[in-house]
Amino acid sequence: MHGAGNDFVVIDAVTRKVVLKPAQIRRLADRHRGIGCDQVLLVEPPDQPEADFRYRIFNADGSEAGQCGNGARCFARFVREKRLSFKQILNVQTRDGIMQLETLEDGRVLANLGSPRIEPTQVPFTADSCQLDYDIEVDGQRHTIGVLSMGNPHAVLWVDDVEQAPVISLGPRIETHTRFPEGANVGFAQWVSRTEIKLRVWERGAGETQACGTAACAAVVHGIRSQRLDATVTALLPGGKLTVTWAGSDESPVWLGGPTASVFDGVIKLRNG
């Protein structure tokens, strides 16, 4: 499946138990020797009574992630297509709490990703105090970034031209910077208007991807906080358009909308190691 080109291997772990080792996840995600994807998603029975399903996300390198907005929207489509649930509104258990997914009449899926986390300790990010922008040094050069968590850590850099942005060179250096003890997703955002941005993303554990829902949310939230953007914004990513809405207060949830698509069903045999 994919959401705006952000692609996933989605596995039904409800009708039968599925346990994957990191090496198996890396094999699934390998675009040359496996199926190929940015993340592997597991649909599992919930541990909590208020949840309809449990949602687990694994990056292409085998590490487990806390959140994936495009994956969540594909998750909602998957459970309907596989006849696991026909609820219009799903409550889904994630590593960080309960997330709400709403399937609209036209088939689009909206994901409530909860409130952004701004405090550095909640990201986590090393800083003496909470600020709108932070200076970070990479190879002797200083860069200004916005920092927040959307269930996973994000750095946001505003650039003049997203096509010329140093995504491949600077992205991995910020992802693994010592000030991000759990790593970071790195978004390179270009302001187009108060209701539109362009965005490229270097994802933690996956590299540059066609789209990243939580990175779109992070860029829009930082843009609203810095008075660049209005409450509803279209993010133009290499894989397509995503819509982000945030009312602007610390307690307001961030809503992510956009396309989803099922590409194919298949079977792959995995070794134990």
Side-chain angles (χ1 to χ4, degrees), residues 4 18 36 38 66 68 77-78 84 94 103 111 130 139 161 166 176 185 189 204 215 221 236 251 256 264-265:
V18 176
D38 295 324
C68 177
R77 177 168 180 156
F78 179 87
L84 299 174
T94 72
T103 302
C130 183
D139 296 332
D161 183 355
T176 58
N185 300 277
R204 178 182 61 170
V221 166
L236 308 177
E251 297 79 21
L256 173 70
F264 67 88
D265 292 327

Side-chain angles (χ1 to χ4, degrees), residues 1-271:
M1 304 185 73
H2 77 88
N6 191 188
D7 61 335
F8 311 99
V9 170
V10 191
I11 300 173
D12 175 5
V14 174
T15 55
R16 62 177 295 181
K17 187 174 182 180
V18 176
V19 178
L20 293 175
K21 299 177 181 178
Q24 293 173 317
I25 293 167
R26 290 192 292 271
R27 167 81 190 285
L28 285 167
D30 191 314
R31 298 189 183 278
H32 302 287
R33 295 179 174 83
I35 299 170
C37 64
D38 295 324
Q39 281 92 18
V40 175
L41 312 180
L42 288 187
V43 184
E44 296 183 336
D47 297 330
Q48 301 175 13
E50 66 270 29
D52 298 299
F53 297 97
R54 184 183 182 194
Y55 170 41
R56 297 184 71 191
I57 309 129
F58 296 91
N59 294 316
D61 65 0
S63 61
E64 187 164 3
Q67 184 56 280
C68 177
N70 283 325
R73 296 185 306 99
C74 287
F75 183 105
R77 177 168 180 156
F78 179 87
V79 300
R80 292 176 73 88
E81 289 184 347
K82 299 303 179 184
R83 298 180 177 273
L84 299 174
S85 174
F86 291 105
K87 289 184 176 180
Q88 184 176 356
I89 297 177
L90 291 173
N91 292 310
V92 177
Q93 177 187 345
T94 72
R95 196 170 70 176
D96 294 328
I98 300 296
M99 175 176 58
Q100 188 178 88
L101 303 173
E102 182 177 358
T103 302
L104 304 180
E105 295 298 327
D106 60 6
R108 290 183 300 129
V109 178
L110 301 179
N112 180 340
L113 299 185
S115 303
R117 301 173 187 176
I118 308 299
E119 289 291 334
T121 55
Q122 295 179 320
V123 175
F125 176 71
T126 302
D128 293 332
S129 62
C130 183
Q131 302 172 35
L132 178 61
D133 295 296
Y134 302 87
D135 286 334
I136 191 169
E137 189 170 302
V138 178
D139 296 332
Q141 291 188 327
R142 184 166 295 180
H143 301 273
T144 300
I145 60 175
V147 175
L148 67 149
S149 172
M150 289 302 313
N152 49 7
H154 287 273
V156 180
L157 294 87
W158 292 94
V159 297
D160 294 331
D161 183 355
V162 74
E163 298 299 330
Q164 301 301 319
V167 178
I168 303 300
S169 58
L170 184 57
R173 303 305 302 274
I174 295 179
E175 175 199 2
T176 58
H177 199 282
T178 55
R179 294 184 69 182
F180 288 99
E182 296 180 8
N185 300 277
V186 188
F188 295 79
Q190 175 186 339
W191 186 90
V192 178
S193 72
R194 292 196 62 83
T195 58
E196 188 172 281
I197 62 170
K198 293 182 179 179
L199 183 68
R200 289 173 63 191
V201 184
W202 181 271
E203 282 200 58
R204 178 182 61 170
E208 185 176 8
T209 56
Q210 289 290 297
C212 176
T214 55
C217 292
V220 170
V221 166
H222 186 262
I224 293 172
R225 293 185 70 230
S226 56
Q227 300 183 347
R228 291 178 171 93
L229 299 172
D230 292 340
T232 297
V233 175
T234 298
L236 308 177
L237 297 106
K241 297 180 181 180
L242 297 173
T243 302
V244 179
T245 300
W246 183 52
S249 69
D250 291 346
E251 297 79 21
S252 300
V254 181
W255 285 90
L256 173 70
T260 60
S262 295
V263 181
F264 67 88
D265 292 327
V267 176
I268 185 171
K269 292 183 179 179
L270 294 175
R271 296 185 296 270

